[in-house]
Every structure is written in C-alpha cells, then in structure tokens.
Amino acid sequence: METSQINPSIDASWGDVLKIEFAQPYFIKLKEFLLEEKKTHTIYPPGKLIFSAFNHTPFYKVNVVIIGQDPYHGKGQANGLCFSVSDGIPMPPSLVNIFKEIESDLGFPIPKSGNLERWADQGVLLLNAMLTVRANEPGSHQGRGWETFTNSVIQHLSNQKQGIVFLLWGKYAQAKEQLIDGSKHHILKAAHPSPFSAYNGFMGCKHFSKANAILSAQSKQEIDWH
C-alpha cells in the first residue's frame, strides 16, 4: 500500500478539520519517514496512541489546550497526551510538579496515576508539538513535519473556535502564541514545570484555578483537575 493511502485513525470531528493537512506533501513525507523509522527503531508512543490527544478530545469539545514538545522517550511512558503517562508508570518530574501546583492551587492531593486521559475527556487538548519520538532519543523526530501539522492544529482551533484557554508553559510553548488570536482566546503563560525551571514561575502560577474561572465566566464546564 502506498503511504499516500494511509489515513490516520483520528476522531471524525478532527478528520473533517484536518483532512487538508493529511493530503499535503509534507504529511505524506512524514508518513514515509515514520514507516522507514519503524523498520529499524522503536517508536513511541505505539502507533494506535499517536493521535490519542485528538481521539480523547474531539474538536467540538476543546476548551483548554496545553502544549508540550516531545513525547516521553522511555519504555511505556508516552501515551499520546503531553505530560501524561499510562497507569502504573512512575510520574516524570515535570508531571510531579504539575500535580504539586494543583495541590497548592486547588487543594487536590497528588494522585497515584499520572494518566491524564481524565483531563482530555473533559475537553483539555494535551498536544505535543511532535507526536512521535525514537526510543531513548529525545528530539529525534523534530523537523520531520510534525511541527507543521501541530501548528496547523493550533491555527484551526484559533480560527474556528472562541474562548479557548491556552496554557503555554516554557519558551517552546510560548513561541506558539503567534498562532493564536488573542482577541478571541485566553493565553496564560508560565515557566515550564521541569525541575530546571518550575521554581522560576511555574510554581504559584495558579493556572488551574485561573483556567476554571475563565471557563466559568463563559458559562462553560470547569475542569476537574484531580
């Protein structure tokens, strides 16, 4: 089968929005690259989870967007949602800091599982800029087309929806601000929750209560950040 005939398994609402992207030359090249990569390398997350963020959070349901960079590159970690790990996988340090901030902000105790599907199902799009990575090689799929694709996702959300809360943590995510219409949407910025930067402006940012206040003011359902 030719790669041009391969269609990602993605929620129908996103399929309608992104069908133009799937036909673009850059996306066809990206698929060719991934097929070649899989012949000689282990790729994370597993193929069926690459588009998990979209399948858990349909286009019409998106009210909050959190932008990450790379999927986790350790075995069993990446599950297609930025910052999230599957049940039973130890939480990486950035995710621990996210839950520490939630505990400080909202009083919720740090949970046992770092699986954020529960957020995604409520309308929080957990979007990595790159949707795949080689095992144990962070950044290995940068510059292959994923950034073009996910930038387009952000632009479609900005253009076609209203009142989304974008949480931009760290310089990489904040560079995406130029893709967002700030007159229609709400942008909250803070340092990255990584241990290297969390105490330079992430801890104490109160983005979780602020996001809920913005949603509530629009008569939208608040997120249960447990």
Side-chain angles (χ1 to χ4, degrees):
M1 181 182 286
E2 292 183 8
T3 53
S4 59
Q5 295 175 297
I6 297 172
N7 290 314
S9 178
I10 195 168
D11 177 84
S13 66
W14 282 106
D16 290 341
V17 171
L18 298 172
K19 59 189 174 188
I20 298 169
E21 298 302 315
F22 297 141
Q24 295 295 322
Y26 84 85
F27 199 85
I28 293 167
K29 280 185 69 175
L30 172 60
K31 288 188 287 188
E32 291 170 349
F33 164 73
L34 291 173
L35 286 172
E36 285 300 310
E37 279 280 278
K38 284 171 68 177
K39 292 177 183 177
T40 53
H41 296 91
T42 299
I43 305 301
Y44 295 138
K48 64 181 181 180
L49 297 180
I50 290 172
F51 290 97
S52 282
F54 304 92
N55 293 327
H56 278 279
T57 316
F59 185 80
Y60 58 84
K61 200 171 179 178
V62 177
N63 283 325
V64 178
V65 177
I66 299 176
I67 297 174
Q69 190 167 350
D70 250 356
Y72 296 124
H73 54 86
K75 184 176 181 180
Q77 288 184 304
N79 67 355
L81 309 176
C82 73
F83 294 105
S84 174
V85 290
S86 296
D87 293 327
I89 301 294
M91 290 187 210
S94 291
L95 185 55
V96 172
N97 284 336
I98 288 169
F99 283 125
K100 283 181 179 177
E101 175 57 23
I102 290 171
E103 183 176 40
S104 168
D105 186 10
L106 297 170
F108 298 154
I110 296 173
K112 289 185 170 63
S113 173
N115 191 335
L116 302 183
E117 289 177 357
R118 57 190 182 273
W119 295 1
D121 292 337
Q122 295 178 74
V124 182
L125 182 67
L126 295 164
L127 182 67
N128 273 319
M130 273 68 66
L131 300 190
T132 57
V133 69
R134 274 187 200 172
N136 306 314
E137 293 188 42
S140 48
H141 286 182
Q142 290 182 14
R144 295 291 184 170
W146 278 131
E147 298 97 324
T148 304
F149 176 74
T150 53
N151 282 350
S152 177
V153 168
I154 295 166
Q155 287 178 306
H156 280 295
L157 288 166
S158 178
N159 294 339
Q160 297 182 44
K161 292 179 71 76
Q162 189 92 21
I164 293 175
V165 184
F166 288 87
L167 305 183
L168 306 182
W169 300 334
K171 290 180 181 177
Y172 188 89
Q174 288 164 18
K176 307 295 182 182
E177 184 176 2
Q178 62 184 343
L179 305 171
I180 303 163
D181 184 345
S183 69
K184 293 171 58 183
H185 301 284
H186 305 270
I187 299 169
L188 301 180
K189 294 185 284 188
H192 194 277
S194 155
F196 300 108
S197 55
Y199 290 92
N200 291 327
F202 179 78
M203 307 308 282
C205 70
K206 299 190 179 299
H207 275 189
F208 304 96
S209 60
K210 288 176 180 177
N212 275 351
I214 292 167
L215 294 176
S216 181
Q218 300 178 72
S219 300
K220 293 180 179 180
Q221 184 73 38
E222 294 186 9
I223 306 300
D224 180 355
W225 294 108
H226 271 84

